[in-house]
Amino acid sequence: MALKRNVSLASALRYKGQGPMLTYILHRIGGVGMAVFVTVHILASFVGGKAGIFANSIYENWLFQIFIFFCVLFHAINGLRITISDLWPKLIQHQREAIWVEWAVFLPIYGIAVYVIIRAALGG
Amino acid sequence: MTATKSKSLPLAKRGLNFEMLMWIFTRLSALAMYALILFAIIGALIMGARTQMNMADVLRWGFMPNLSHVQNTNVPDIAPWSTPFWRAVASLLLLVATAHGVHGLVVICDDYIVKPRGRQIVRLISIVFMIAMIAIGLYVVWTL
Ligand code: HEM
């Protein structure tokens, strides 16, 4: 499909939107990741049988859990920041600080979760 | 950084079309999902999850308070977890999350598909997909 961009791909990749740009990309990846997961998960519990068990064995894999928990947690925390600053537009002036707070909340929770997932995967 | 003053037009001048309503819906549904998830987690703790479930299972229940999410935990009696009340909460979460997620996917598609015809097709597919996922989801929530 013809895709008209006003900038070349090379300069798009060079765009340095820094922190806010990163949260936008991760929010998008998280949203799509969850949408795909939720769809497959609902379908799997609907059809059941061999296909359902196969789908479940994917979710139970520790690598998948690390990925999907990233999607969920980041999307939820970043979504709360977006919601708060959209409902009180004055706060958008402080979005860079808000993003630091966001990482300060996200990293410890995610770190503990990854630790627990890996420990469980190692059989502890 | 020089402070940029944020301007917001009064509501009357902003116009209220479908896109604007969905923009608001995305924010409100985000808050609603937080409320529903916290509600389900608190409910689980009241029903004894603290001694019968590990943290991961509580979260699984929180994100979708559905019977199959507690079936392989240490909960002795699953009857209180599959009442019409919890099925209703799960249905509400399903409706809100599906509408939020499908609309989000349409927003993403609009960033890459710019021709009116393509956007129409995206909308058509998204509506069919949304109705199908809600129907299948409700079936799973109410019959399992
Ligand atoms: C507590 C849970 C959630 C919160 C707080 C939340 C918050 C948000 C917010 C505020 C937006 C708008 C972003 C923007 O306009 O820049 C958004 C977009 C989106 N959400 Fe969620 N959401 C949640 C759960 C979900 C779930 C469960 C799904 C998938 C089924 C999902 C999929 C999406 C998608 C695909 C987008 C569009 C992303 C984009 O435009 O780049 N969200 N979310």
Side-chain angles (χ1 to χ4, degrees), chain A residues 24 27-28 30-32 34-35 38 75-80 82-83 86, chain B residues 23 26-27 29-31 33-34 37 63 97-98 100-105 107-108:
Chain A
Y24 148 75
H27 194 79
R28 190 157 269 200
V32 175
M34 275 192 292
V38 169
H75 193 95
I77 294 177
N78 190 53
L80 190 61
I82 295 173
T83 303
D86 279 345
Chain B
W23 183 88
T26 301
R27 272 82 194 147
S29 59
L31 294 179
M33 282 186 277
Y34 260 97
I37 291 168
F63 280 107
T98 313
H100 174 106
V102 172
H103 177 257
L105 293 179
V107 170
I108 295 176

Side-chain angles (χ1 to χ4, degrees), chain B residues 41 43-55 58 75 81:
Chain B
I41 291 176
L45 293 175
I46 291 175
M47 290 191 293
R50 209 159 59 86
T51 50
Q52 299 151 352
M53 277 195 216
N54 62 32
M55 193 59 199
V58 173
V75 171
W81 303 79

Side-chain angles (χ1 to χ4, degrees), chain B residues 28-78:
Chain B
L28 296 184
S29 59
L31 294 179
M33 282 186 277
Y34 260 97
L36 286 167
I37 291 168
L38 283 178
F39 185 72
I41 291 176
I42 292 170
L45 293 175
I46 291 175
M47 290 191 293
R50 209 159 59 86
T51 50
Q52 299 151 352
M53 277 195 216
N54 62 32
M55 193 59 199
D57 289 327
V58 173
L59 283 183
R60 222 149 65 96
W61 165 265
F63 280 107
M64 180 45 79
N66 179 19
L67 181 57
S68 62
H69 279 173
V70 287
Q71 259 161 355
N72 40 22
T73 62
N74 293 330
V75 171
D77 175 18
I78 47 181

Side-chain angles (χ1 to χ4, degrees), chain B residues 86-144:
Chain B
W86 283 118
R87 291 182 201 265
V89 175
S91 306
L92 204 58
L93 193 52
L94 174 78
L95 287 176
V96 172
T98 313
H100 174 106
V102 172
H103 177 257
L105 293 179
V106 172
V107 170
I108 295 176
C109 290
D110 276 1
D111 275 358
Y112 305 103
I113 298 170
V114 290
K115 290 196 185 120
R117 185 97 189 96
R119 289 187 167 180
Q120 263 172 357
I121 295 172
V122 166
R123 274 155 183 74
L124 187 71
I125 294 174
S126 78
I127 290 171
V128 173
F129 175 67
M130 189 169 84
I131 293 174
M133 288 321 287
I134 288 176
I136 295 173
L138 286 177
Y139 175 84
V140 170
V141 165
W142 287 90
T143 59
L144 281 189

